[in-house]
């Protein structure tokens, strides 16, 4: 993506100042008959409500708190990942195989905690009627409640991991299942995984976004980010300013964006036009005529071509964005044989 002709802060002001009066010498209407038998093709102008700013660095990621983490309940000596980085997995897919003697120890420990919690729950239910009839000492009831609560917390903590345990091939090995549908990421280690360390992270479907930093003085006008492969609207703009920049987050990326978590890219912010600043149109790059250091579009009006002064603000190869002081909505512009018009202006004729 090529850079804009001018910086985002002064682009519109410069464009209007540089536009010459409509009666510029040598600029005139051109009759289609003057172009003889040349190939004449026209393209409609596409009105735009935004104008591009300077490209900024951006990255694809989930917002803080949207990633689901799976942690190892005990140290794991060996982890063999069955899914590759960034792979889209479904809930219940086997994503890794955990091996080591601690696997069997954890399974035994989980069974014991499960049984202890079952017994504590049964004791609580048996004694609840006695406590309600004041037939149980307060101290004994508090001891029952405390033991039940402590075992419940420990059991629930282990149960969340146990729900992700797949079929075991041996006493010291089992598969780990994806907790939800999304993209997986992890950090392989030759030393295994420490107790409490993450085994894998999952970005849920619909949680992939783009984070970028833009000039703080343009945040009110920001409407979307052009990512090259797609354009995405803005979901959140930070209030805090750091070094003149603010953090922005897009809405969740649509599937056709085809971007992966962790990917870095250049994004082009799209800013809303200021009231009275002019009109922005998307036109074929071939439609642009440069004459006496001024850019024009050849707008069709019946059998005539009218030269409208414009100012290019962004060029993406085959397409250009131009700023016009006049409204040209619904008009067509010449996109072929444009150089022949320059010849006519020079007095060379159209053949």
């Amino acid at each position: 993506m090529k850079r804009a002709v001018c910086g985002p802060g002064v682009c519109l002001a410069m464009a209007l100042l540089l536009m010459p009066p409509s009666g510029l010498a040598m600029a005139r209407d051109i009759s289609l008959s003057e172009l003889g038998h040349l190939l004449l093709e026209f393209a409609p102008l596409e009105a735009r409500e935004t104008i591009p700013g300077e490209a900024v660095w951006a990255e694809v990621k989930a917002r803080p708190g949207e990633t689901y983490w799976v942690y190892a309940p005990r140290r794991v000596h060996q982890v063999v990942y069955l899914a590759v980085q960034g792979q889209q997995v479904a809930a219940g897919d086997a994503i890794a195989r955990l091996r080591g003697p601690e696997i069997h120890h954890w399974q035994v420990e989980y069974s014991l905690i499960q049984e202890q919690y079952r017994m504590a729950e049964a004791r609580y239910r048996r004694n609840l009627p006695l406590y309600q009839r004041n037939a149980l000492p307060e101290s004994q009831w508090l001891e029952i409640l405390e033991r039940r609560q402590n075992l419940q917390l420990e059991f629930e903590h282990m149960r969340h991991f146990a729900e992700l345990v797949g079929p075991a091939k041996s006493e010291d090995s089992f598969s780990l299942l994806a907790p939800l549908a999304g993209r997986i990421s992890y950090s392989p280690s030759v030393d295994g995984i420490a107790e409490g360390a993450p085994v894998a992270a999952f970005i849920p479907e619909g949680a992939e976004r783009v984070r970028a930093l833009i000039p703080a003085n343009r945040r009110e006008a920001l409407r979307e980010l052009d990512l090259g492969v797609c354009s995405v609207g803005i979901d959140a703009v930070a209030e805090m300013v750091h070094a003149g920049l603010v953090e922005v987050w897009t809405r969740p990326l649509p599937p056709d964006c085809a971007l992966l978590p962790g990917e870095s890219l250049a994004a082009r912010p799209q800013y809303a036009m200021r009231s009275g600043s002019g009109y922005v149109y998307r036109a074929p790059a071939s439609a642009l005529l440069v004459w006496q250091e001024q850019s024009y579009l050849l707008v069709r009006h019946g059998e005539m071509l009218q030269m409208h002064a414009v100012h290019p603000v962004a060029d993406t190869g085959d397409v250009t964005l131009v700023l016009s002081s006049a409204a040209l909505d619904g008009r067509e512009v010449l996109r072929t044989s444009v150089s022949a018009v320059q010849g006519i202006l020079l007095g060379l004729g159209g053949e």
Side-chain angles (χ1 to χ4, degrees):
M1 185 179 295
K2 299 182 180 178
R3 296 184 61 187
V5 175
C6 53
V10 296
C11 194
L12 298 181
M14 286 180 60
L16 296 175
L17 288 173
L18 290 175
M19 285 185 182
S22 58
L24 180 66
M26 302 301 293
R28 64 180 180 86
D29 293 352
I30 307 295
S31 172
L32 294 179
S33 62
E34 294 183 65
L35 296 175
H37 299 290
L38 293 173
L39 175 64
L40 302 180
E41 293 182 354
F42 297 85
L45 289 175
E46 179 185 332
R48 298 291 300 269
E49 296 182 355
T50 59
I51 191 167
E54 294 286 351
V56 298
W57 176 83
E59 59 181 334
V60 182
K61 60 189 305 183
R63 285 195 299 194
E66 292 184 339
T67 300
Y68 189 100
W69 295 86
V70 175
Y71 298 93
R74 297 290 181 267
R75 173 171 175 76
V76 180
H77 283 76
Q78 183 183 32
V79 178
V80 178
Y81 288 98
L82 308 177
V84 299
Q85 286 276 24
Q87 180 178 334
Q88 185 76 36
V89 298
D93 283 354
I95 54 96
R97 182 157 293 281
L98 280 57
R99 296 193 181 110
E102 68 283 347
I103 297 299
H104 177 62
H105 297 160
W106 178 86
Q107 290 175 313
V108 172
E109 184 179 4
Y110 175 66
S111 296
L112 290 174
I113 291 295
Q114 187 177 33
E115 178 61 20
Q116 289 175 352
Y117 173 63
R118 186 192 65 78
M119 295 174 62
E121 181 68 22
R123 184 187 180 194
Y124 166 81
R125 294 183 181 280
R126 285 196 310 269
N127 287 275
L128 178 59
L130 296 176
Y131 174 73
Q132 292 173 334
R133 296 196 304 267
N134 293 321
L136 192 69
E138 186 77 19
S139 58
Q140 185 176 347
W141 176 245
L142 290 176
E143 184 272 329
I144 292 173
L145 285 178
E146 183 178 5
R147 178 165 177 78
R148 173 179 176 266
Q149 183 178 14
N150 291 339
L151 286 170
Q152 183 180 30
L153 291 174
E154 190 170 0
F155 170 68
E156 291 295 332
H157 175 71
M158 297 183 72
R159 184 177 65 83
H160 289 310
F161 185 81
E163 290 175 344
L164 303 179
V165 172
K169 288 191 174 181
S170 63
E171 286 189 346
D172 63 353
S173 172
F174 60 66
S175 58
L176 188 65
L177 309 180
L180 47 78
R183 293 194 184 276
I184 183 175
S185 65
Y186 49 83
S187 299
S189 172
V190 295
D191 300 324
I193 299 177
E195 180 177 344
V199 180
F202 299 84
I203 298 179
E205 291 179 337
E208 295 168 11
R209 305 170 185 266
V210 168
R211 172 190 177 273
L213 299 174
I214 68 160
N217 61 354
R218 304 305 308 278
R219 62 184 173 189
E220 296 296 334
L222 182 65
R223 293 296 177 267
E224 62 182 17
L225 288 183
D226 182 352
L227 308 176
V229 294
C230 63
S231 292
V232 187
I234 304 302
D235 189 44
V237 179
E239 293 293 332
M240 298 290 292
V241 179
H242 299 282
L245 302 174
V246 292
E247 180 185 64
V248 300
W249 289 89
T250 69
R251 295 170 183 158
L253 296 178
D256 59 356
C257 274
L259 296 172
L260 297 176
E263 190 170 344
S264 298
L265 65 155
R268 181 65 64 88
Q270 303 294 310
Y271 300 108
M273 292 284 294
R274 295 189 182 96
S275 176
S277 297
Y279 306 86
V280 174
Y281 295 98
R282 188 173 184 265
S286 61
L288 209 61
L289 170 66
V290 179
W291 176 247
Q292 294 188 346
E293 300 183 356
Q294 171 62 50
S295 297
Y296 294 89
L297 288 177
L298 300 171
V299 182
R300 184 172 187 173
H301 184 74
E303 294 301 310
M304 301 295 292
L305 294 175
Q306 298 176 335
M307 293 179 64
H308 281 270
V310 295
H311 183 75
V313 293
D315 185 358
T316 57
D318 295 335
V319 175
T320 187
L321 290 182
V322 298
L323 179 66
S324 170
S325 60
L328 300 174
D329 295 38
R331 306 294 293 274
E332 288 187 328
V333 295
L334 183 68
R335 69 179 185 88
T336 59
S337 305
V338 173
S339 59
V341 174
Q342 193 168 38
I344 292 175
L345 294 174
L346 290 169
L348 301 179
E351 296 291 344

